[in-house]
């Protein structure tokens, strides 16, 4: 009887690692995830230590990228890249030598990936040098030193846990022990406090306007004053008005 296949997951976003691990458990319960790491160097070290059959590598990671890690890993195991829809042309992966997982991991697409990977387990990993060069050219177009901000957030929507794109959030507001986030379609709860979100969100896209409130700049329709003279942010796609405290009123001086 063959031993169960083994894999490592490399992504600097913890929530994305958790979501992918959960999806893999659904679509490939026999697969053992033997290590989770945050960057390319840690991925290389994990492959050397655990000798897995597969390495799931996020293409963009701080420090050493997934592409550089794949070069160093070589033929030690099969590589699966984790990427976003717009990050690279998906056609680059359709050669079949390397498969990919799109963020967030979709069950149907991941099932296809798993089907392909099962067929490769036990075979010698293909030479992917040319593909890595093509991907490197695309990666090189982005500033290497640019900070990565929070892109996805795990939240409770009713009895469900969902992965929500941060760009879809209109605002975050403290709600007792939780933080409530609002999209055009629904509201959800997270445990991350406002003070942590401020450090993790892109300051060009999200402004803190109150000690308890962060708003998506793209969702702002305008600013009005109520009968008490308080500034209130009006949103494009939601009726709620958000109070601006005096400490943050300078953000709207030109409005």
């Amino acid at each position: 009887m063959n031993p169960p296949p083994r894999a490592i997951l490399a992504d600097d976003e913890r929530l994305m690692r958790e979501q992918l691990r959960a999806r893999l458990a659904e679509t490939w319960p026999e697969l053992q995830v033997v290590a989770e790491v945050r960057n390319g160097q840690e991925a290389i070290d994990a492959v050397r230590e655990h000798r897995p059959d597969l390495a799931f590598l996020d293409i963009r990671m701080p420090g050493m990228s997934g592409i550089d890690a794949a070069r160093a890993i070589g033929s030690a195991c099969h590589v699966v890249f984790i990427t976003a829809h717009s990050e690279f042309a998906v056609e680059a992966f359709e050669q079949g030598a390397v498969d990919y997982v799109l963020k967030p991991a979709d069950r149907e697409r991941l099932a296809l990936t798993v089907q392909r990977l099962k067929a490769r387990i036990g075979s010698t990993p293909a030479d992917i040098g040319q593909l890595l060069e093509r991907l490197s050219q695309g990666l090189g177009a982005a500033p290497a030193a640019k900070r990565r901000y929070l892109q996805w957030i795990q939240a409770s929507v009713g009895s469900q846990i969902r992965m929500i794109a941060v760009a879809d959030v209109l605002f975050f507001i403290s709600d007792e022990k939780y933080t409530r986030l609002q999209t055009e379609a629904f509201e959800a709860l997270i445990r991350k406090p406002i003070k942590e979100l401020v450090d993790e969100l892109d300051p060009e896209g999200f402004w803190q306007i109150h000690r308890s409130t962060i708003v998506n700049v793209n969702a702002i329709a305008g600013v009005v004053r109520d009968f008490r003279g308080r500034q209130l942010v009006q949103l494009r796609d939601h009726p709620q008005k958000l109070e601006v405290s005096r400490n943050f009123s300078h953000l709207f001086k030109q409005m």
Side-chain angles (χ1 to χ4, degrees), residues 22-251:
R23 288 283 189 266
L24 285 170
E26 295 174 4
T27 57
W28 198 355
E30 300 85 9
L31 182 68
Q32 294 183 354
V33 176
V34 294
E36 295 184 26
V37 298
R38 300 166 296 178
N39 57 56
Q41 185 57 59
E42 290 181 0
I44 295 169
D45 295 340
V47 168
R48 290 172 178 167
E49 178 182 355
H50 297 284
R51 299 185 180 277
D53 302 288
L54 304 164
F56 290 81
L57 306 175
D58 185 15
I59 285 184
R60 292 190 183 277
M61 291 186 286
M64 180 181 288
S65 71
I67 295 170
D68 292 333
R71 283 199 185 94
I73 290 170
S75 60
C77 66
H78 294 279
V79 168
V80 184
F81 281 120
I82 307 170
T83 184
H85 282 278
S86 59
E87 192 169 16
F88 294 100
V90 170
E91 290 78 8
F93 298 98
E94 297 297 350
Q95 300 174 357
V98 174
D99 218 304
Y100 65 96
V101 175
L102 293 173
K103 294 184 179 184
D106 176 78
R107 287 184 176 87
E108 292 184 3
R109 181 61 187 78
L110 187 58
L112 176 59
T113 296
V114 166
Q115 182 180 346
R116 293 175 177 176
L117 292 173
K118 285 181 176 180
R120 294 186 189 138
I121 292 293
S123 64
T124 302
D127 182 357
I128 59 173
Q130 290 186 350
L131 174 59
L132 293 180
E133 288 303 318
R134 289 177 61 188
L135 295 177
S136 291
Q137 292 175 7
L139 188 65
K146 187 175 180 180
R147 179 179 170 182
R148 288 173 60 95
Y149 292 104
L150 192 65
Q151 299 295 316
W152 298 90
I153 196 159
Q154 184 173 296
S156 299
V157 182
S159 61
Q160 295 183 327
I161 302 297
R162 295 180 58 173
M163 293 295 292
I164 301 170
V166 169
D168 293 338
V169 178
L170 303 179
F171 61 85
F172 299 88
I173 189 165
S174 292
D175 187 0
E176 296 182 354
K177 295 182 180 180
Y178 297 90
T179 296
R180 177 168 64 93
L181 68 82
Q182 182 71 53
T183 71
E184 290 185 32
F186 58 85
E187 68 175 34
L189 297 176
I190 60 175
R191 291 186 178 273
K192 191 182 294 290
I194 291 292
K195 62 182 180 180
E196 288 186 19
L197 283 168
V198 168
D199 293 332
E200 297 179 11
L201 293 168
D202 185 349
E204 294 185 4
F206 288 86
W207 290 353
Q208 183 175 17
I209 60 172
H210 191 280
R211 66 179 182 179
S212 63
T213 312
I214 299 173
V215 65
N216 186 333
V217 176
N218 292 325
I220 296 175
V223 180
V224 298
R225 289 188 182 274
D226 65 6
F227 69 95
R228 294 167 55 187
R230 297 178 305 173
Q231 286 183 312
L232 301 175
V233 168
Q234 292 181 310
L235 303 171
R236 299 183 191 279
D237 301 299
H238 196 269
Q240 184 167 342
K241 292 183 175 66
L242 306 173
E243 180 181 353
V244 182
S245 71
R246 291 182 179 179
N247 291 337
F248 300 101
S249 61
H250 64 278
L251 295 170

